[in-house]
Amino acid sequence: MNKLGFVRDLDNNLSVQNISVNYLVKKYGTPLFIYDSKIIETTYQKINKAIKPVNGKIHYAVKANDNLGLIKFISELGSGADVVSIGELQKCLKVGMDPKKIIFSGVGKDVNEIEYAISKNIKQINIESKEELVDIIDITTKLKKNANIALRVNLDINAQTHKKISTGDENSKFGISFKDVPDIYNIVTNSEYLTPFGLAVHIGSQIFNYKIFAKAYKQLKNLAKNLIENGFPVKYLDLGGGFGVDYKNILINDFKELKKITTNLFINENFDISVEPGRSLVANSGILITKIIRTKLTKKKNFLIVDAGMNNLIRPTLYNAFHEIIPLSLNNDRECEQVDIVGPICETGDFFALNRKIQKMYKNEFLAIMSAGAYGSVMKSNYNTRPDASEVFIYNNKDYLLKKKHSVEKIINSEIIPKI
Ligand code: LLP
């Protein structure tokens, strides 16, 4: 059996499913995202197993990587989706996902997006404010169509993660304060075209302390029970995503802690449980290959300047996020040196790693930026009029192009010079 993921072959070159990454680089160029289907599948099965005792369902948070090919693959594993825009919803429908497996979340759904989602008969809409509810009532009344509504609750919980990806505290824009839930649930229940479905929570991303998840889930359960005692129907509990990924050791999470807390809380209950993993499902399945286009020695620094930039992977500069970076070809005879690995973009913040120890590298050699499968290509931009990266999927020991990078011409041609 093949070893899982991106591994060294006998010549110390990186390979995946018996395909040399050097071969992929020659075929597709750089920067290049490569995704390994086996890591996604293995991780999916682990999450599935963890929530099996409570009969939980996976709704992949498409925002982590919304490549059509990837959504299709994950959908065919059995997953539903958590989407946050009409675009993500259309992508899921395009690959044939059952609308009854799609949850529409998000703090700023526009009325045209809500109308579209309702017309497609999706599973549920997670609402985040009373104002959104009023819009939904107007739309369902106009269309004379039903919608299943869950309330995303703000439980005022500190997720102990980077502040830019914390969504659970009272001052964040997300969710409906738990204090307002009974009133708003009451409005949903009494609205002609709305079905009160349940409650949802998502307190943030890249969380490792499962006690915080346990606290949030318990409070959600108590809130649900309270509503039920007061005569309201609450069937669905959506526990969100946020499960932390080990970017240092690049190990697949066993989700044992998730299993423990969900089993403890929900095994003897009558709720339909769902989770919305994004990062934890796809982060370690992807790498970003980049070519060293220049090396530069200054008085204090040793730079490797590469052809990918913050326009391809913004996480290091945006969240100070760590990504392991390794040479495509490992050469044990070379000394290690301390370098800054930076992109070509005209910003000092355009870096992938600072003061990182790596074997001596030269111009025209390649590096692999690991764990780039989640929140990598989806957060791309064309800053500095730079094209994005191509994306390749490895499935069954074969490579498939998922996305061809836009040419510079295409970027330029998408703009209009006004005739003034
Ligand atoms: N459900 C909801 C409602 C969400 O807002 C999110 C992520 C998820 C599920 C999935 O969370 P995950 O399992 O991926 O942690 N760009 C940031 C992460 C932003 C997460 C946004 N919401 C990063 O690169 O770290």
Side-chain angles (χ1 to χ4, degrees), residues 99-113:
K100 279 287 165 234
K101 288 172 123 182
I102 302 176
I103 297 174
F104 193 5
S105 307
V107 69
K109 309 177 195 77
D110 205 347
V111 284
N112 69 312
E113 297 187 296

Side-chain angles (χ1 to χ4, degrees), residues 59-64 82 84 105-106 126 128 152 164-165 167 174 201-202 204-207 238 240-244 247 275-281 314-315 318-319 321 374-376 378-379:
H59 291 84
Y60 167 53
V62 166
K63 62 176 81 65
D82 162 60
V84 288
S105 307
N126 290 352
E128 303 223 11
R152 173 169 175 184
K164 286 186 185 153
I165 52 175
T167 54
F174 297 100
V201 71
H202 174 77
S205 194
Q206 190 61 345
I207 299 165
D238 175 356
F243 316 119
Y247 283 83
V275 290
E276 300 172 345
R279 183 199 310 274
S280 56
L281 192 52
I314 201 171
R315 303 195 66 258
L318 191 59
Y319 314 111
Y375 306 112
V378 279
M379 295 175 81

Side-chain angles (χ1 to χ4, degrees), residues 142-159:
K142 185 181 88 183
L143 299 179
K144 296 195 168 29
K145 262 189 96 82
N146 184 270
N148 301 328
I149 303 297
L151 271 55
R152 173 169 175 184
V153 188
N154 184 315
L155 296 164
D156 194 18
I157 285 179
N158 179 351

Side-chain angles (χ1 to χ4, degrees), residues 83 85-94 99 102 104 110-122 125 139 143 145:
V83 300
S85 68
I86 191 169
E88 287 186 356
L89 174 53
Q90 283 177 353
K91 281 189 163 186
C92 291
L93 296 175
K94 181 164 178 164
I102 302 176
F104 193 5
D110 205 347
V111 284
N112 69 312
E113 297 187 296
I114 297 171
E115 201 165 315
Y116 181 81
I118 291 172
S119 74
K120 294 292 170 192
N121 298 312
I122 65 163
I125 302 178
I139 293 165
L143 299 179
K145 262 189 96 82

Side-chain angles (χ1 to χ4, degrees), residues 109 114 125 127-141 147 149-151 176 181 183-191 194:
K109 309 177 195 77
I114 297 171
I125 302 178
I127 63 165
E128 303 223 11
S129 67
K130 196 169 173 181
E131 199 173 294
E132 183 182 348
L133 178 57
V134 173
D135 279 345
I136 294 181
I137 292 172
D138 286 349
I139 293 165
T140 48
T141 309
I149 303 297
L151 271 55
I176 294 169
V181 164
D183 280 350
I184 298 188
Y185 214 88
N186 188 29
I187 303 176
V188 174
T189 310
N190 290 309
S191 299
L194 303 189

Side-chain angles (χ1 to χ4, degrees), residues 291-356:
K291 185 171 88 175
I292 299 168
I293 45 181
R294 197 135 297 120
T295 62
K296 185 171 176 179
L297 200 61
T298 67
K299 217 164 151 192
K300 290 198 171 148
K301 286 273 183 188
N302 203 347
F303 291 104
L304 299 179
I305 304 171
V306 299
D307 68 350
M310 62 193 277
N311 58 312
N312 303 112
L313 179 70
I314 201 171
R315 303 195 66 258
T317 193
L318 191 59
Y319 314 111
N320 258 320
F322 176 91
H323 283 259
E324 182 63 281
I325 302 180
I326 58 174
L328 214 57
S329 303
L330 187 67
N331 186 335
N332 289 318
D333 297 335
R334 290 192 194 169
E335 305 259 300
C336 268
E337 57 182 11
Q338 187 164 300
V339 294
D340 280 10
I341 300 168
V342 301
I345 299 283
C346 298
E347 297 223 18
T348 305
D350 179 29
F351 64 84
F352 293 113
L354 303 176
N355 302 318
R356 189 70 66 84

